[in-house]
Amino acid sequence: MYGPFWIYTTLIFLLTFSENLHNYLLEGRENFESDFSNVPPSCFVIYGVGFGVPLALSFVMKLLTSDKLYFKEITCIYGYSFSCFLLCVFL
């Protein structure tokens, strides 16, 4: 369960870093100021999707199927799928 949390947290850090790197390259060294205003919306979206989708999926699976996939298992499967986005942040 720790893996998905740290993948989401690293993704938020890399998104903030890449935005500041973009601003640094665009504005130059003299006019650059760090901007962390996108961190709270990024946290809301990434943690919301990262934990909200597995929660909804586990609820739907309990209602519609007899499979025994629990929230923890779905969160781990879904959370580790976000690891490919760690490389795609800089593209």
Side-chain angles (χ1 to χ4, degrees):
M1 192 75 172
Y2 292 118
F5 172 77
W6 287 114
I7 289 173
Y8 301 149
T9 305
T10 305
L11 186 59
I12 292 166
F13 171 77
L14 288 177
L15 284 170
T16 304
F17 173 76
S18 64
E19 181 196 11
N20 283 322
L21 179 64
H22 170 7
N23 290 340
Y24 177 78
L25 295 174
L26 187 67
E27 296 176 8
R29 186 176 203 154
E30 303 82 33
N31 299 328
F32 174 70
E33 290 184 19
S34 295
D35 180 26
F36 296 103
S37 63
N38 71 341
V39 174
S42 296
C43 290
F44 179 74
V45 169
I46 291 175
Y47 288 135
V49 169
F51 292 114
V53 170
L55 183 65
L57 188 60
S58 66
F59 180 71
V60 168
M61 287 184 69
K62 283 184 183 180
L63 291 177
L64 300 178
T65 66
S66 62
D67 292 338
K68 295 288 184 181
L69 275 177
Y70 298 106
F71 172 70
K72 183 178 179 180
E73 295 168 336
I74 295 172
T75 302
C76 288
I77 293 169
Y78 187 71
Y80 282 111
S81 71
F82 272 63
S83 61
C84 64
F85 292 116
L86 296 175
L87 299 174
C88 296
V89 166
F90 294 106
L91 299 177

